[in-house]
Amino acid sequence: MAYSALVMDHFQRPRNAGVMEDANGVGDEENPACGDVARLFLRIEGAIILRASFQARGCPASIAACSVATEMARGKSIAEIEGLSRQDVADALGGLPPGKVHCSVLAADALHKAVQDYRRRSS
Ligand code: FES
């Protein structure tokens, strides 16, 4: 099964790609199975995600998942992000081919780690 048009769109035109210099929450995640890596940057004010960006080295599905995860994060509260599941990220991409679902885990886990990092910094 091939990637959906939505996955390819996010892969070819990633939203919010790049380093965020003034991030106050940063999360790193690696997929031990393939070695792909992702870093999620968040700028959080008053418990709301103002901006989100990412850097990643990975397969098309993982890049697309990072892209869509940053879009999902913007404007949400940190509590909402903490309630976001790995499946929610895969669903936002319209699903992934069997065998590639694990690729969306990278983005979801990096996003959660970025929120944890923010909580650590601000406690
Ligand atoms: Fe590594 Fe997709 S193959 S995250």
Side-chain angles (χ1 to χ4, degrees), residues 31 34 36 59 62 100 102-103 106:
N31 185 331
C34 60
D36 290 351
C59 67
S62 65
K100 298 300 279 182
H102 71 98
C103 305
L106 197 64

Side-chain angles (χ1 to χ4, degrees), residues 29-123:
E29 189 61 30
E30 176 173 1
N31 185 331
C34 60
D36 290 351
V37 293
R39 173 172 288 173
L40 260 287
F41 301 90
L42 298 176
R43 181 69 202 180
I44 301 171
E45 301 289 348
I48 300 294
I49 316 298
L50 292 188
R51 287 177 281 124
S53 72
F54 76 98
Q55 285 187 306
R57 189 197 68 229
C59 67
S62 65
I63 304 280
C66 285
S67 172
V68 84
T70 58
E71 284 204 318
M72 291 169 86
R74 197 177 49 229
K76 290 209 169 52
S77 69
I78 57 177
E80 285 176 303
I81 296 300
E82 287 168 335
L84 208 65
S85 71
R86 294 165 163 181
Q87 189 62 46
D88 290 334
V89 175
D91 289 349
L93 285 171
L96 287 165
K100 298 300 279 182
V101 175
H102 71 98
C103 305
S104 63
V105 167
L106 197 64
D109 289 2
L111 181 58
H112 286 140
K113 283 189 172 178
V115 170
Q116 287 164 14
D117 181 51
Y118 169 77
R119 284 201 184 278
R120 240 190 332 266
R121 292 186 199 206
S122 53
S123 63

